[in-house]
């Protein structure tokens, strides 16, 4: 349904500028509400000791194949718990079995990795990037989902300890 038709259907009697703004808001809600829920990462967060071997899965709940690329980034937290990404630290040794894959419609792909941190604690985000769609103007909409890994001397309470070291209030 074109934007003008949506606008006339959902907002009869309003002025044109208001109709356009509300229509764009509605389309944004529909696009992002449906698009973002079409892909999932699991698990989102893991905690490891010095040496870590793990895996995470990307699920494509959509009806078209999905190309996924993985990018590794180190990150640190500020006192409010916000992450700042940066290139992978030199103290991090990461081996990904694969850096990209094509996920079938309604399918799941598992990405395996080995991670070693020579100076724990360290925090790594494996960012899974995928194209979720295109806007009417042809702009590509890319979604990034993170699989976050916290590495400490000991696995127990690792994430809590890293957050506490950053001065983040831990609940």
């Amino acid at each position: 349904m074109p934007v003008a038709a949506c606008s006339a259907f959902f907002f009869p009697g309003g002025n044109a500028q208001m109709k356009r703004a509300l229509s764009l808001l509605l389309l944004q809600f529909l696009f992002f509400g449906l698009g973002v829920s079409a892909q999932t990462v699991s698990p989102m967060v893991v905690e490891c000791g010095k040496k870590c071997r793990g895996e995470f899965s990307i699920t494509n709940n959509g009806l078209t194949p999905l190309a996924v690329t993985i990018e590794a980034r180190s990150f640190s937290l500020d006192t409010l718990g916000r992450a700042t990404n940066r290139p992978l630290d030199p103290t991090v040794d990461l081996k990904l079995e694969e850096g990209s894959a094509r996920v079938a419609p309604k399918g799941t792909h598992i990405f395996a990795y080995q991670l070693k941190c020579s100076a724990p604690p360290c925090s790594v985000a494996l960012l899974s990037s995928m194209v979720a769609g295109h806007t009417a103007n042809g702009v590509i909409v890319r979604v990034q989902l993170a699989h976050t890994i916290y590495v400490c001397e000991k696995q127990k309470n690792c994430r809590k300890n890293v957050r506490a070291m950053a001065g983040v209030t831990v609940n």
Side-chain angles (χ1 to χ4, degrees), residues 56 58 66-71 96-103 109-112 127-129:
F56 65 99
I58 296 293
L66 184 65
V68 178
T69 58
I70 307 299
E71 178 186 1
L96 279 170
E97 280 190 13
E98 34 186 358
S100 64
R102 191 161 182 84
V103 184
H109 188 83
I110 296 174
F111 292 91
L127 302 174
S128 306
S129 297

Side-chain angles (χ1 to χ4, degrees), residues 47-52 115 117 150-155 158:
E47 300 176 55
C48 299
K50 277 186 184 179
K51 292 183 181 179
C52 180
L115 179 66
C117 181
Y150 291 94
V151 180
C152 297
E153 290 285 336
K154 296 180 181 175
Q155 184 175 348
C158 182

Side-chain angles (χ1 to χ4, degrees), residues 34-142:
L34 296 174
V36 173
S37 66
Q39 300 86 23
T40 57
V41 63
S42 178
M44 291 180 64
V45 178
V46 296
E47 300 176 55
C48 299
K50 277 186 184 179
K51 292 183 181 179
C52 180
R53 180 177 298 217
E55 59 185 31
F56 65 99
S57 64
I58 296 293
T59 300
N60 176 8
N61 295 313
L63 300 175
T64 58
L66 184 65
V68 178
T69 58
I70 307 299
E71 178 186 1
R73 306 284 290 173
S74 289
F75 70 92
S76 53
L77 301 171
D78 67 13
T79 56
L80 297 175
R82 293 181 299 225
T84 301
N85 286 326
R86 62 182 179 277
L88 207 55
D89 292 338
T91 59
V92 175
D93 180 24
L94 174 68
K95 291 182 177 79
L96 279 170
E97 280 190 13
E98 34 186 358
S100 64
R102 191 161 182 84
V103 184
K106 304 291 184 184
T108 298
H109 188 83
I110 296 174
F111 292 91
Y113 59 86
Q114 291 180 26
L115 179 66
K116 184 177 165 185
C117 181
S118 61
C122 63
S123 306
V124 175
L126 298 179
L127 302 174
S128 306
S129 297
M130 57 213 83
V131 174
H134 298 80
T135 65
N137 297 340
V139 177
I140 294 174
V141 178
R142 186 178 87 171

